[in-house]
Amino acid sequence: MTSAPTPVRVRIGPSPTGDPHVGTAYVALFNYAFAKKNGGKFILRIEDTDQKRSSPDSEQAIMNSLRWLGLSWDEGPDVGGSHGPYRQSERLNIYRDYVNQLVESGHAYWCTCTQERLAEVRKRQLALKQPTGYDGHCRERSQTEVLAEIQSGTPGVIRLKTPHTGQTRFNDFFRGDIVIENTEVDDQVLFKSDGFPTYHLANVVDDRLMGITHVIRGEEWISSTPKHVLLYQAFGWQHPQFCHLPLLRNADKSKVSKRKNPVSLEYFREAGYLPDTLLNFLGLMAFSFEDAREIFTLEDFVQNFKLERVSLGGPVFDLQKLLWLNGRYLREKRTDAQIVQYLQDQLFSTEYLSQIVPLVKERVEKSEDFVAYADFFFAGSVLVSPENYLMKDVERKRTIELYEFLIEKLEALRPFDATHIDSALRAFCLEHALKSRDLFMPVRLMVTGKKATPPLFETMAVLGRERCRTRMRSALQALRAMPV
Ligand code: GLU
């Protein structure tokens, strides 16, 4: 008698540490399609083990963006399910129990090495041109002694006792067998001194307990996989099938990143890309239909999806192509009435207009003036000639550097409201000895393209972080490209 096949269960495990990334949507789409095609379940797990960088706002934004795209999950922190909780920060006791099992079975050990000692070891290894990694100091010590130190208040972590000989082998669905010498695998930390697990431990324990059958994730995690396989072996568990999708790349083959291009799903929504265009575009990144069609719905994608048709050739996240596709969607997939509705819901929504009107009404006499005065609230690019972005008495090179810092500061600013923008910009002036008016005018020009606008901080708040960021980055690019 043959047993029934295990039902497919896949997951994404985004870390809520910033804006919802287009890469998360790409991996989510492939997981979703695989689950739906095979009558399985698609799970959303929030991997918030980095206490300092995780935030509820970011978690909410990830969920909103995935919903906007139409990728819904069968189990997750908000919808529940039989394998919860689905937020790792709510599973700390589980990880503690499992890591204790590993210590008891001799597969893991406590370590009290300080950051200073680890830095020393690394320095020495680099000087001797040896591979860097933990040198096993506490692995060789008596655990009773190490535990006594921890009891008396020294912070301690738990590390995996990686075998010193042999190889670790696993199969990647797209790449075949991958073999790594165990000497190349570090004694990784599994459990931190703050009582939180590391990504490796939490990921493996959760995939096991949540019954994950296929791990479909980005190829940046391939180097972590041998560590995971060793962990599965230490627990005596079978590991899921690994499937590492190729990374999204810029046209110059570098990894997509916010330094070069917009990558936040919120940007694409605000800038007027249609959710079905974006999904279609992401589907094209590593998959091709047998009949080579380029335009398809999510249902078509699911129907035709096969892991065998995923190709590894570096997919290019080409914004020009996305734009072209969006145009086709507008013309071919939307009626005029739908476009009117879309504009009313998005660009000219009551909510957005209600934020703009109080800012601009002081300066206008008749309704037409709104268009001339407030156009930058609706425009795409607001580039002006780049010398406008220069700061008085500051060299161009230094100006560019300062804008880089400023953009980073604004990207991290939460909430992005007038009060916080005000204090961030003023603090920036103080920190870099700039006169506020020397900074505020070029910033105003970057985000609005105009010299005369409503108050800067309120204006930036209404424009929102994504628009400000994108406009400032384009201005910066123009400034860099400016002939000297
Ligand atoms: N937390 C990881 C991430 O942010 C999950 C990687 C995985 O899927 O194993 O993408």
Side-chain angles (χ1 to χ4, degrees):
M1 205 179 86
T2 50
S3 55
T6 321
V8 161
R9 290 177 60 83
V10 292
R11 70 357 178 230
I12 52 165
S15 297
T17 53
D19 294 330
H21 197 277
V22 76
T24 302
Y26 159 66
V27 174
L29 171 63
F30 281 71
N31 274 281
Y32 176 93
F34 183 66
K36 299 293 145 189
K37 178 67 190 284
N38 292 290
K41 297 273 187 253
F42 170 52
I43 295 150
L44 171 67
R45 179 170 78 219
I46 297 293
E47 299 209 335
D48 56 349
T49 53
D50 186 335
Q51 279 195 88
K52 279 198 212 85
R53 294 177 57 231
S54 299
S55 80
D57 281 358
S58 166
E59 176 185 313
Q60 198 52 52
I62 292 171
M63 298 210 267
N64 292 346
S65 294
L66 292 174
R67 285 229 163 81
W68 169 68
L69 287 168
L71 296 172
S72 51
W73 42 98
D74 302 299
E75 297 171 28
D78 53 341
V79 296
S82 49
H83 294 63
Y86 293 92
R87 219 176 257 116
Q88 289 187 329
S89 57
E90 293 167 16
R91 302 171 62 82
L92 301 183
N93 290 337
I94 302 179
Y95 308 126
R96 191 168 303 128
D97 288 350
Y98 277 96
V99 82
N100 282 336
Q101 278 184 27
L102 289 184
V103 175
E104 276 158 32
S105 64
H107 287 97
Y109 59 93
W110 284 95
C111 164
T112 49
C113 287
T114 59
Q115 287 307 324
E116 292 72 40
R117 178 169 189 282
L118 296 177
E120 266 308 309
V121 170
R122 193 181 151 79
K123 217 165 101 189
R124 205 169 44 221
Q125 289 166 335
L126 285 173
L128 294 170
K129 299 209 166 26
Q130 288 173 346
T132 54
Y134 185 57
D135 64 350
H137 180 69
C138 288
R139 178 174 172 146
E140 310 303 331
R141 294 175 61 202
S142 123
Q143 281 289 289
T144 328
E145 205 178 290
V146 178
L147 278 171
E149 284 175 9
I150 292 169
Q151 241 122 50
S152 61
T154 313
V157 302
I158 298 177
R159 291 180 182 274
L160 183 72
K161 200 180 274 179
T162 304
H164 283 160
T165 55
Q167 298 170 324
T168 296
R169 178 186 295 269
F170 62 93
N171 177 272
D172 177 276
F173 189 89
F174 308 125
R175 295 168 180 78
D177 280 355
I178 297 184
V179 184
I180 307 280
E181 295 297 325
N182 287 337
T183 44
E184 286 173 29
V185 187
D186 203 10
D187 277 5
Q188 72 215 265
V189 174
L190 302 176
F191 204 72
K192 301 179 278 186
S193 52
D194 64 0
F196 272 66
T198 54
Y199 155 69
H200 305 298
L201 177 73
N203 193 269
V204 163
V205 167
D206 286 351
D207 281 350
R208 168 74 185 187
L209 297 186
M210 294 182 182
I212 301 303
T213 52
H214 297 73
V215 168
I216 307 174
R217 61 183 169 200
E219 68 187 333
E220 70 269 37
W221 301 103
I222 289 186
S223 59
S224 296
T225 309
K227 303 178 186 180
H228 297 179
V229 172
L230 284 169
L231 259 170
Y232 279 103
Q233 287 170 357
F235 280 119
W237 297 337
Q238 270 219 323
H239 62 73
Q241 172 67 54
F242 295 106
C243 318
H244 290 94
L245 294 170
L247 277 185
L248 302 183
R249 310 222 164 242
N250 294 310
D252 65 4
K253 297 283 171 208
S254 58
K255 186 177 153 188
V256 287
S257 86
K258 62 183 178 192
R259 301 266 162 276
K260 296 220 166 127
N261 277 321
V263 290
S264 160
L265 294 169
E266 288 182 343
Y267 164 80
F268 290 104
R269 186 169 50 80
E270 283 173 14
Y273 290 88
L274 301 166
D276 37 347
T277 313
L278 193 54
L279 273 190
N280 185 150
F281 183 68
L282 290 172
L284 285 172
M285 289 291 104
F287 185 82
S288 56
F289 278 71
E290 261 156 56
D291 60 10
R293 84 184 88 150
E294 286 216 289
I295 300 219
F296 43 82
T297 61
L298 180 57
E299 291 70 41
D300 294 337
F301 188 70
V302 168
Q303 279 304 315
N304 289 274
F305 190 77
K306 280 194 196 105
L307 281 178
E308 289 78 1
R309 291 202 63 82
V310 167
S311 62
L312 293 183
V316 177
F317 191 76
D318 177 352
L319 286 173
Q320 288 309 319
K321 176 147 189 196
L322 176 59
L323 210 53
W324 166 83
L325 199 61
N326 206 54
R328 282 197 60 179
Y329 263 77
L330 273 178
R331 289 186 293 275
E332 296 168 24
K333 303 251 174 206
R334 297 291 192 276
T335 61
D336 290 356
Q338 282 173 326
I339 299 179
V340 169
Q341 190 62 51
Y342 175 77
L343 289 173
Q344 280 172 353
D345 293 345
Q346 294 278 319
L347 199 55
F348 303 113
S349 70
T350 308
E351 193 198 340
Y352 192 44
L353 292 176
S354 316
Q355 291 176 281
I356 296 170
V357 168
L359 290 183
V360 303
K361 69 176 179 197
E362 300 301 326
R363 299 289 196 92
V364 298
E365 261 108 35
K366 53 187 188 322
S367 59
E368 281 174 356
D369 302 343
F370 275 102
V371 180
Y373 187 56
D375 56 355
F376 61 85
F377 280 113
F378 308 97
S381 162
V382 294
L383 279 178
V384 292
S385 127
E387 56 277 2
N388 287 291
Y389 307 134
L390 287 170
M391 270 186 259
K392 209 171 143 233
D393 300 330
V394 185
E395 264 186 278
R396 182 168 74 144
K397 197 162 157 260
R398 176 75 184 141
T399 309
I400 292 175
E401 205 173 77
L402 285 169
Y403 287 146
E404 278 288 357
F405 293 150
L406 180 63
I407 294 172
E408 263 174 44
K409 192 164 176 153
L410 291 175
E411 275 170 359
L413 193 67
R414 280 176 179 75
F416 197 76
D417 60 17
T419 322
H420 286 81
I421 298 170
D422 182 338
S423 14
L425 286 182
R426 288 187 200 284
F428 189 81
C429 288
L430 270 181
E431 199 180 327
H432 298 283
L434 300 167
K435 288 205 196 79
S436 53
R437 65 164 182 279
D438 292 347
L439 177 73
F440 294 178
M441 185 47 90
V443 169
R444 184 188 305 276
L445 278 157
M446 285 185 186
V447 297
T448 68
K450 294 191 158 174
K451 283 195 176 143
T453 69
L456 179 62
F457 313 132
E458 279 80 1
T459 300
M460 287 177 75
V462 172
L463 284 169
R465 186 181 23 243
E466 277 310 313
R467 272 205 200 87
C468 290
R469 182 219 317 255
T470 314
R471 290 179 181 183
M472 290 178 81
R473 287 226 171 261
S474 319
L476 194 57
Q477 231 163 24
L479 192 56
R480 280 211 189 86
M482 186 175 101
V484 227

